[in-house]
Each structure stands twice: as structure tokens, then as C-alpha cells.
Amino acid sequence: MTINDSRMYFNREISWLKFNTRVLNEAKNTNIPLLERLKFIAIYGTNLDEFYMIRVAGLKRLYASGITEVGADKLTPLQQLKYIREHLDKEKQTLEAIFNEIKTGLAKEGMFIKQVSDLNAQQKKHLREYFLNYLYPVIVPVVVDSTHPFPHLNNLSFAIALKLKNTQDGGVKFAMVRISRMLPRFVEVESGVFVPVECVVGEFANELFSGFEIISYVPFRITRNADIEIEEEEADDFIEIMSEGLKTRRKGEIVRLEIGQSKDNSFLNAINTYLNVDSKDIYIYTMPLNLSGLWELVGSKAHAHLTTPPFNPKTLPPLHDAVDLFSTIENHDVMLFHPYESFDPVVNFIQNAAKDPDVLSIRMTLYRVGKNSPIVKALIQAAENNKQVTALVELKARFDEENNLHWAHSLESAGAHVIYGVPGLKVHAKIALVIKKIGNTLKEYVHLSTGNYNPSTAKIYTDVSLLTSNHDFAKDAIKLFHSLSTGSSYRTKLDSLYIAPTQIKLKILELIDNETKMGAEGRIIMKANAFVDIDVIKALYKASTAGVKIDLIVRGVCCLRPGVKGVSENIRVFSIVGKYLEHARIYHFKHDKIGIYFASADIMPRNLERRVEILTPSLNAQMSQRLMDILQMQLKDNVQMYELHSNGEYQKVASKEKAFSSQIAYEDYVNGIYSDSVENEEAIKAKKLAKRMLRES
């Protein structure tokens, strides 16, 4: 095979399916607590929802448009759809088996997921009272007939279909009950006993349909095409057109139907008469639908002992005892590795700037900030304090559009200058700039990150961030924000940082080429969420052919085929799936003067060519060493690590050496550093563990 052979490239959608299979595999892991295993089923289901809403919907549009070839792998949309459907249909059996195993294990621990028929008389009485008091007033029953048409169902709508018999004339009718997303997914009948809400509604549905007898019922759920198409060039008011786009998402084409198993086969035909879903996209389940609802059970406080104890993020030196955050940043570049290190310093950075009378200006990009954002609240306070606040609020952040619209309006009302994205580009860069007046001079402080300004996800996503007063970075930050304000990002270039779409891809290709020239002395390690860009993959193939040793740590999609003799035999590809979601992007090139970088950008065409992204060089030895420690510790992982083989299959890394989890090791590492400033028995123990981990890595 050669680098131009289509067999050298894995299909993106198939690669993603295998990533989600790795997520599901974690639910099989009997070495972790039961609710942790259930959590991975919830993540698997949530991932699959988005995959169908965006990727499968997109493939269906391509097929309908007559497109026959879409990628370097040469698979047609129809071939991809066929593989996806067959894979998911087969995996459904695995999913149900794992769920039932976990369900049985939970029952042994006093946590029960039951059907109404499994309850005793007293429990049923309590459940009926709950139905009448809390469900009856808010659910919507509909008898489908000539005067009551089948109602519109929003994306990810959850409902039950019922077959009714008229008690007077014996006539049979079809009905349904819509179940609001505001309702709990499970009803706790008594301590530790949970019943799916659709079972409660179905059991007492006779209260909703006077004059009818309930023959049978079945739950179902739909998925719609949720990809919003925005013609920015035609939009006079981007806010208005984005708002309209959010409304159309609720009405997109139905691309999947999930339905519970029923002895009455007529249900499926009756439902699909109205929905008209392709039979290949109908999935019949013997377990509860809407897997994201399992988070309710995972979060049960009474059963917290069935989860992994949470790690308490640490604030490390020099920030642990910092009196003046800005003075500390002036004296030290501070690298943070979340979630092991606390996100509080980043929040404090913006909050302190909002209150500091000498701060003149705060500028930052906001991509996914969460619903109750302390950072956005601080920006609002700063604007109300008459500071110059500029916020780029990316309205095209998928599935966060509505939340971002809300924050954009709030910021604007407070007097902030809000930039509603850049035409033709999505702003994915994570950067904040604070300008402070000190005497007769201005001093700049910059924060750069691989992750979002979201304190909630910062507890579960691994991300690298940097607080610095580096003047060159600050100059570039000012230039970047000017380009965002003027809409000129598609042609802007920076001097010390690197920006997409103009610089990052070219820089990465240059760095790979430099290692290629070193032959067998070359060394490349790249850690990313996804590896899709064909130009970069081809460059790595050439480097491998020249003898460069290459390790890729790619959590999700990887289109590169490793281990092919004569092309990619010097490339290894690994994926880590564990307690934390690996989200940091770190790129190491042995013979480069800088040597190591971190970025907001993955190795994907959308990141490198259609988004505003930032690649940050590590400019001091201490930070470079810490970034290298992260890479080296992850390459040593033999607990959460999978290796991608040349046949496209992932296999858990097996080792005869002592078990080593990079995520647990880094918890120990951070505990050890923290203990330098804390004198107690636990701190001393943590310090010893950290030293051991560093020595072993």
C-alpha cells in the first residue's frame, strides 16, 4: 500500500463508532463501582444521540443528494450507513446484557430498578398518589383520530403509545402520552426502589382516558436531524437567523426511532405510519430508553458509595498562597492541568479583574460556558463597573446555541461589547486578556487553554491552561481580538502564537517535515481528541517511512492506519478512556527549538481550516517538562489504554508490569506537589506516592 491508497485511511464515522464502543467497554469493567459502570452507559447513549442527530443525518442528506464519495477512504454514504446500522444493531445486544448485569449487581447493593408489576400493594398505592399529584397535571394525553391528529414531537421526545378499548362499543383506538423532559426519568417509590417514569404513566393511564380500558402500551423516542444550516452571507441579523435555526431543529427530519419491546407488534406499524422512519433506523430495546436519564441514578446521594470517590482538585504553588494573583502571574508563568489542578484560579483571574479598580479592560472568547457561569457573571459585573469588556460569544457552538444567546443578551444589557461570532468561521480558541494600569504604564495578563471556560466540565475534562504576563503573547492576544472585532480572522497572522485558519496547519506540517529530515533520530508525540486531516496524516506517513518514531494518543476518531509495513510501521496509535475525558491537545517534536506546544485545535480540517484556533508554544523549561511528563505518563498507561491495530480494531493494552493508570498517577502527582505546602500525615503520604509515580514514569 502507498500513502494515496484509500485502504490507508479509516472512515471517520466507523472510527467514531469504535470510540463509542470503547466507552461502552468501560461499563463492563468490574474493577470500578457499579454506578461508575452505569455512568459509562449514560455517556454511551448521549454520544449516540448526537451521532445520529448530526453524523447519520448528514450521511442521509448526502445519500439523498446522490453524493457517492466523501473521503479519502472512498466509502460511499450508503456503505457507511449500512455499516453503522449493522454495528449498532449488533451492539444493542451487548448494551442490554451489560445493563442487566449492572442492574442485578445494584439490586444486591440495595438499589432496585423495577417495573410496576414487581411492586407490592403498598408501593403501588404510593406510586398512584405520586402519579396523581406530580404527573397527571403535566403530561399530555392524545387520542389519535380524525379530530386529534398525531402531535408534533420535538427532537429526543419521549412518549408512550397506547392501545385503548372503548368500554361502551368495544372499539379500539390508538393514543399516546407525551412525557415532558422536565419530569424525572425515574420515580423513587421508596428508598432505593426506582421505577421508570413511562411505566408509572402506562400503569395509571386509565386516569387519563375516561371511558377507555388500557389494552397495552409501549414507550418510544425519536431523534431528528439537529444540524442547523446558517447562510451567514444572507443574514442581516445573525441573532435572529440563529434563533430561527434553533426553532427549525425541533422540526428536522426524523432519523431514528427507538421503541420498547412489546408483545403487540401492531404498535410499531401504528407509530411509524405517522413518523415514516426507515426500518433500518428503528431500534427495539428491552431496557429503558433515553440512556442519558441514567445520570439520575448515578447521582443518587444515598448510593454514593457505589461511585468512585471524587478527587479534590488542588491549587498548587505558586498560586496556593497567592495574595495578589496578578503579581504572582507577573513573576511566574503558571501552567494548570485540569481537573487535577483546580479551575478556581481561572475563575478568580476574571473575578479579580472585574473588581480591581486598576483593570481597564477584559476580553475573552466564550464557547461553552455552562448555564450558571461565574465567569460570565464576573464579566457582567465588570461591564457594570464601567470596565471595557469585550466577549466573543460563539453562537454556533453546537447544542450550546440557546445558552450562549442568553449570555450574549445578558452581557450586552450590562454594557459589554459582544461579538456574535465571525462570518464563515467558528471561534473555538480559548483565550482571555486582562489589561491593567500600573502607574503610568499598561500591563497585560493572558490566559490560554485547550478547554472551555466552564467550571463544571473542568472537573471531568483533562485540559491544559496557562496564565502568563508574556508581553509577546499579550501583543498577539490584542491583535487576535482586533481581528475578531473586525471579522478579519480568516487572514490574520500572529507573531508568537499560531492561529487557525492561517497558521496552525502549516506550522504542524513544517514541524513534521523537520522531524522527517532527521530520519531515525526523529521523534513525534501528538495527543489530540481526533485525528482526521489527510494532509497531516500523509505527512506522518512520510515521516514514518523515513524512520521517525511516532506515537499518537487519540481519544476518539483516528483515520490514520498504523503498523502498515513500508508506510506506517513506525507509528503507534493509542486511546485512553477512563474516569476523566481526555481533552487536552499536546504536540511534541523532538528537534524543534520550542519542542512542545498545546492547542485548542484537534487534527481535523474543521479545526485547522474553518475555525479560529490557537496553538501555544511552551517557552520555559519547567512547563515543557510538565507537558512531557503528561505525555510520558500516558504512554506508560496499561490500565485505561487501548492500542489501534492495522486492521482497524482497538485492543486493551496488556502488560506483565505492575498496573499503571496515568489518570490515577497524576492524581498522586498533584497530591504530592500540594503536600509541599501542607504539613499533615495525608500530605506526606501523597508526596511519597507522587515521587514514586514520577520515578516510574
Side-chain angles (χ1 to χ4, degrees):
M1 284 190 278
T2 67
I3 64 172
N4 293 316
D5 193 318
S6 62
R7 292 173 296 173
M8 284 303 302
Y9 303 93
F10 293 129
N11 176 265
R12 171 180 170 163
E13 316 307 344
I14 293 174
S15 181
W16 184 92
L17 284 174
K18 291 179 178 178
F19 156 66
N20 212 31
T21 296
R22 296 196 295 281
V23 173
L24 183 59
N25 283 344
E26 289 305 300
K28 297 179 184 177
N29 186 353
T30 56
N31 293 321
I32 61 176
L34 285 162
L35 287 182
E36 288 295 315
R37 295 173 64 190
L38 194 67
K39 178 184 76 175
F40 282 107
I41 291 183
I43 295 170
Y44 170 87
T46 304
N47 288 348
L48 197 54
D49 286 346
E50 185 170 335
F51 181 69
Y52 245 95
M53 284 188 282
I54 304 301
R55 306 305 305 180
V56 174
L59 287 173
K60 288 187 166 208
R61 285 202 310 272
L62 290 173
Y63 174 66
S65 301
I67 305 297
T68 58
E69 190 176 301
V70 293
D73 56 272
K74 306 297 184 186
L75 290 184
T76 68
L78 186 58
Q79 287 173 318
Q80 294 177 63
L81 287 168
K82 184 175 184 293
Y83 183 96
I84 290 166
R85 290 156 170 164
E86 290 175 352
H87 176 91
L88 292 177
D89 194 55
K90 182 179 178 182
E91 194 163 75
K92 180 170 66 69
Q93 299 171 33
T94 304
L95 170 66
E96 291 173 332
I98 298 170
F99 175 79
N100 287 327
E101 180 190 330
I102 295 172
K103 179 181 170 183
T104 300
L106 289 172
K108 293 177 181 177
E109 297 290 338
M111 188 176 193
F112 302 91
I113 304 170
K114 292 189 173 186
Q115 301 294 315
V116 177
S117 58
D118 299 326
L119 304 179
N120 60 40
Q122 184 61 32
Q123 290 170 329
K124 287 182 180 179
K125 179 181 178 183
H126 175 74
L127 204 60
R128 184 174 184 276
E129 291 173 358
Y130 180 90
F131 172 82
L132 293 174
N133 291 327
Y134 296 102
L135 300 182
Y136 181 84
V138 293
I139 55 180
V140 181
V142 178
V143 175
V144 180
D145 55 27
S146 58
T147 58
H148 300 88
F150 193 90
H152 171 79
L153 298 172
N154 290 338
N155 186 28
L156 301 181
S157 281
F158 188 46
I160 63 170
L162 305 99
K163 190 175 283 188
L164 312 175
K165 183 170 76 172
N166 191 307
T167 54
Q168 292 184 342
D169 60 21
V172 175
K173 286 202 170 188
F174 176 71
M176 63 169 286
V177 179
R178 297 172 64 175
I179 300 176
S180 168
R181 291 188 201 178
M182 305 302 293
L183 294 173
R185 181 67 190 83
F186 293 90
V187 177
E188 190 169 10
V189 186
E190 61 183 40
S191 180
V193 180
F194 297 87
V195 178
V197 67
E198 68 274 18
C199 295
V200 182
V201 174
E203 178 71 16
F204 302 107
N206 59 302
E207 302 283 353
L208 301 166
F209 299 99
S210 179
F212 290 94
E213 176 188 335
I214 310 300
I215 300 173
S216 56
Y217 71 90
V218 67
F220 70 97
R221 182 173 183 256
I222 66 159
T223 308
R224 292 182 179 273
N225 178 354
D227 204 8
I228 300 175
E229 293 186 20
I230 301 295
E231 297 295 335
E232 296 176 52
E233 291 78 9
E234 300 174 12
D236 294 325
D237 187 336
F238 189 67
I239 298 294
E240 183 179 343
I241 201 166
M242 178 58 73
S243 299
E244 288 302 312
L246 289 171
K247 293 176 186 175
T248 63
R249 175 178 282 169
R250 302 173 195 146
K251 304 173 185 177
E253 173 195 6
I254 300 175
V255 293
R256 180 179 60 164
L257 169 63
E258 298 166 283
I259 186 169
Q261 192 172 59
S262 172
K263 295 178 181 178
D264 189 343
N265 295 327
S266 66
F267 268 121
L268 180 54
N269 292 332
I271 294 170
N272 211 30
T273 298
Y274 301 101
L275 301 181
N276 196 29
V277 180
D278 190 314
S279 61
K280 302 180 193 69
D281 295 310
I282 297 174
Y283 298 89
I284 302 172
Y285 287 94
T286 60
M287 61 183 288
L289 308 180
N290 189 13
L291 298 182
S292 61
L294 294 174
W295 281 106
E296 288 183 19
L297 302 181
V298 174
S300 172
K301 292 181 179 178
H303 300 88
H305 61 287
L306 300 178
T307 63
T308 301
F311 174 75
N312 182 28
K314 304 296 189 292
T315 301
L316 300 181
L319 298 179
H320 68 298
D321 59 356
V323 177
D324 184 340
L325 181 60
F326 294 114
S327 295
T328 302
I329 298 171
E330 281 185 47
N331 294 323
H332 305 271
D333 280 355
V334 182
M335 176 194 144
L336 304 171
F337 188 30
H338 315 292
Y340 311 100
E341 294 179 66
S342 175
F343 194 71
D344 289 347
V346 180
V347 176
N348 294 341
F349 177 61
I350 304 300
Q351 289 178 334
N352 290 1
K355 298 172 186 175
D356 192 324
D358 294 324
V359 167
L360 305 179
S361 171
I362 307 172
R363 304 175 193 178
M364 68 187 305
T365 57
L366 302 174
Y367 192 73
R368 301 186 194 277
V369 295
K371 290 189 175 179
N372 189 29
S373 172
I375 285 178
V376 181
K377 289 178 180 177
L379 292 177
I380 290 170
Q381 180 187 13
E384 290 172 344
N385 289 342
N386 295 318
K387 299 184 188 302
Q388 182 193 69
V389 175
T390 300
L392 182 293
V393 182
E394 182 47 79
L395 298 185
K396 292 170 285 186
R398 187 175 286 148
F399 302 122
D400 275 83
E401 301 98 340
E402 220 162 340
N403 187 55
N404 287 2
L405 272 170
H406 162 73
W407 284 125
H409 287 310
S410 298
L411 283 162
E412 205 160 44
S413 297
H417 172 53
V418 178
I419 308 166
Y420 295 99
V422 175
L425 298 172
K426 186 180 283 189
V427 180
H428 191 249
K430 327 294 186 193
I431 183 169
L433 169 68
V434 171
I435 301 176
K436 182 177 179 179
K437 186 178 181 182
I438 301 177
N440 295 321
T441 63
L442 297 181
K443 183 67 181 175
E444 303 93 357
Y445 307 86
V446 181
H447 177 258
L448 295 152
S449 181
T450 66
N452 297 307
Y453 289 107
N454 187 327
S456 296
T457 57
K459 294 176 183 176
I460 53 175
Y461 287 22
T462 71
D463 276 302
V464 171
S465 71
L466 172 67
L467 288 162
T468 180
S469 61
N470 182 290
H471 182 63
D472 292 331
F473 284 3
K475 281 172 58 181
D476 275 352
I478 294 169
K479 188 175 182 180
L480 171 62
F481 280 106
H482 286 338
S483 77
L484 295 176
S485 295
T486 59
S488 60
S489 302
Y490 61 91
R491 59 174 178 265
T492 298
K493 293 184 178 181
L494 305 180
D495 298 317
S496 299
L497 302 169
Y498 299 89
I499 186 176
T502 54
Q503 293 174 293
I504 296 178
K505 184 170 180 175
L506 292 174
K507 181 63 178 177
I508 288 174
L509 290 172
E510 175 192 314
L511 291 165
I512 295 172
D513 185 57
N514 288 342
E515 293 302 315
T516 303
K517 293 171 183 175
M518 301 305 298
E521 295 298 312
R523 181 74 170 113
I524 296 172
I525 308 174
M526 300 181 75
K527 171 178 167 59
N529 299 314
F531 225 95
V532 176
D533 188 89
I534 299 304
D535 295 328
V536 176
I537 291 174
K538 285 183 176 180
L540 289 175
Y541 284 157
K542 290 177 182 177
S544 170
T545 304
V548 179
K549 298 297 182 186
I550 302 166
D551 285 329
L552 306 179
I553 306 170
V554 186
R555 185 193 80 229
V557 174
C558 181
C559 296
L560 179 149
R561 185 189 291 271
V564 176
K565 190 172 182 180
V567 184
S568 58
E569 59 192 302
N570 288 313
I571 304 177
R572 299 188 302 172
V573 178
F574 302 102
S575 173
I576 293 175
V577 180
K579 176 181 177 181
Y580 303 119
L581 186 140
E582 294 292 337
H583 194 252
R585 296 89 166 182
I586 306 172
Y587 306 135
H588 164 64
F589 305 90
K590 180 180 177 182
H591 293 92
D592 176 59
K593 183 179 178 181
I594 300 296
I596 196 161
Y597 304 74
F598 68 85
S600 61
D602 283 307
I603 307 302
M604 303 179 75
R606 72 181 189 190
N607 296 91
L608 303 178
E609 299 170 10
R610 301 190 296 276
R611 290 185 174 186
V612 177
E613 305 270 12
I614 294 177
L615 176 72
T616 303
S618 174
L619 296 185
N620 68 67
Q622 184 180 18
M623 181 173 174
S624 296
Q625 187 57 55
R626 287 198 63 198
L627 291 170
M628 283 302 299
D629 284 345
I630 294 168
L631 296 178
Q632 295 294 350
M633 290 173 85
Q634 295 208 333
L635 288 173
K636 184 180 170 61
D637 198 308
N638 58 17
V639 175
Q640 305 300 147
M641 182 90 86
Y642 291 80
E643 182 170 5
L644 172 62
H645 295 283
S646 59
N647 63 358
E649 297 303 318
Y650 284 82
Q651 188 172 8
K652 227 20 180 334
V653 171
S655 175
K656 294 180 181 179
E657 297 179 11
K658 186 177 179 181
F660 183 90
S661 164
S662 56
Q663 294 188 348
I664 294 174
Y666 216 88
E667 288 181 346
D668 291 338
Y669 171 66
V670 167
N671 274 331
I673 297 174
Y674 179 72
S675 71
D676 284 338
S677 57
V678 180
E679 292 300 327
N680 59 47
E681 195 173 320
E682 285 300 312
I684 294 168
K685 181 181 176 183
K687 189 172 182 178
K688 289 179 179 177
L689 279 169
K691 285 183 176 179
R692 174 174 60 79
M693 291 298 178
L694 283 174
R695 186 169 60 250
E696 290 178 354
S697 69

